[in-house]
Amino acid sequence: MLVDTHCHLMDQQFADDLDDVIRRAEAEGIGRMIVPAVDLATAHEVIRIAEAYPNVYAAVGIHPESANDVPASHFDEIERLAKHEKVVAIGEIGLDYYWDSAPHAVQQDVMARQIEIAKRVGLPIIVHNRESTEDIIQLLDRMNVAESGGVMHCFSGSENDARRCLAMGMYISFGGPVTFKKADDVRAVAAVIPDDRILVETDSPYLSPHPFRGKRNEPSRVKIVAQQVADVRNVSLEALAAQTTANALRLFSKVGL
């Protein structure tokens, strides 16, 4: 079994064939899928999807691209939704200095508030990072993220960045970019992550792995990601699947229900 630890099944690109997408994933041995929200509206939507499909679970949170002008009531509602039986994490949260949709200080405040929610409700966090690595790591350290735990989603940083995150108790997840032709640096990091801290994902519908790059991604393709990670770690796909599944069930403990 494999777990796709990050797939946005609430995206409009899946509006017409979500049943088929989930069936294809299950046929490929993808036994669990985790669907992170990006704002309050999608938090409600991911829960509805998780309720409708036994092998799908949800994460609720406010993405940095949605961080501008977030009312206090939204944080209260995220915390309320986090107690739902199929919500397994707070996410997707983080910093994004590429799109810069909100001032950096605002993004950092929104992320910090949600880490506090994660601690209160006893759930891990799912962290988005784009061109904000140093600020992300410093914020995680300052917030003592080890109290909640979490995962650096679709990791693309250096080995040193990974080690700093690992030292705070974070897991490291790899997606489609690990398969890209020029991604030797990402593959080198994937090769050295400790066995008990590595995860795989698709970030569907984005970042489809080679040879489907540029096409809509979906959870069934996490198997391609897993094969690439297995190859760079010199282990079988079966061994990698067993390890990453055990890791996902440990981090997202409610997924084992």
Side-chain angles (χ1 to χ4, degrees), residues 14 176 202-209 215-219 221:
F14 296 119
T202 60
D203 200 17
S204 303
Y206 315 109
L207 299 176
S208 207
K215 299 183 170 145
R216 185 190 75 170
N217 201 4
E218 59 180 68
R221 293 182 186 153

Side-chain angles (χ1 to χ4, degrees), residues 43-211:
H44 287 278
E45 193 170 349
V46 298
I47 289 175
R48 285 196 295 272
I49 293 172
E51 288 175 336
Y53 297 96
N55 292 335
V56 176
Y57 292 79
V60 295
I62 299 167
H63 189 283
E65 288 181 42
S66 307
N68 233 355
D69 299 321
V70 180
S73 61
H74 285 204
F75 296 105
D76 294 338
E77 182 68 356
I78 290 292
E79 185 161 353
R80 186 187 72 80
L81 293 174
K83 297 170 185 176
H84 188 282
E85 64 180 0
K86 293 206 77 178
V87 171
V88 300
I90 300 298
E92 171 178 358
I93 69 174
L95 305 178
D96 192 315
Y97 295 172
Y98 176 81
W99 291 113
D100 251 1
S101 302
H104 296 183
V106 171
Q107 292 188 42
Q108 291 168 24
D109 179 63
V110 169
M111 182 180 179
R113 289 188 183 205
Q114 293 181 95
I115 293 173
E116 291 293 356
I117 291 172
K119 291 178 184 179
R120 287 195 294 271
V121 299
L123 293 178
I125 60 172
I126 298 173
V127 177
H128 171 99
N129 167 30
R130 192 164 186 190
E131 297 190 5
S132 55
T133 301
E134 190 56 37
D135 281 358
I136 283 264
I137 292 175
Q138 288 188 19
L139 191 151
L140 292 174
D141 185 44
R142 185 167 67 249
M143 296 293 298
N144 193 18
V145 73
E147 291 182 12
S148 66
V151 56
M152 305 301 291
H153 128 74
C154 203
F155 190 81
S156 61
S158 68
E159 182 178 339
N160 184 58
D161 296 334
R163 293 197 185 285
R164 293 171 71 192
C165 294
L166 290 164
M168 291 185 282
M170 298 294 286
Y171 288 64
I172 308 293
S173 182
F174 295 92
V178 77
T179 71
F180 295 171
K181 184 176 180 181
K182 296 183 179 178
D184 290 338
D185 290 349
V186 178
R187 285 187 283 275
V189 176
V192 298
I193 299 301
D195 287 345
D196 63 349
R197 298 287 192 86
I198 192 165
L199 297 169
V200 289
E201 62 173 90
T202 60
D203 200 17
S204 303
Y206 315 109
L207 299 176
S208 207
H210 176 80

Side-chain angles (χ1 to χ4, degrees), residues 1 3 19 21 38 75 82 123 127 161 164 167 190 214 225 231:
M1 185 178 85
V3 177
D19 286 349
V21 167
V38 295
F75 296 105
L123 293 178
V127 177
D161 296 334
R164 293 171 71 192
V225 175
D231 289 347

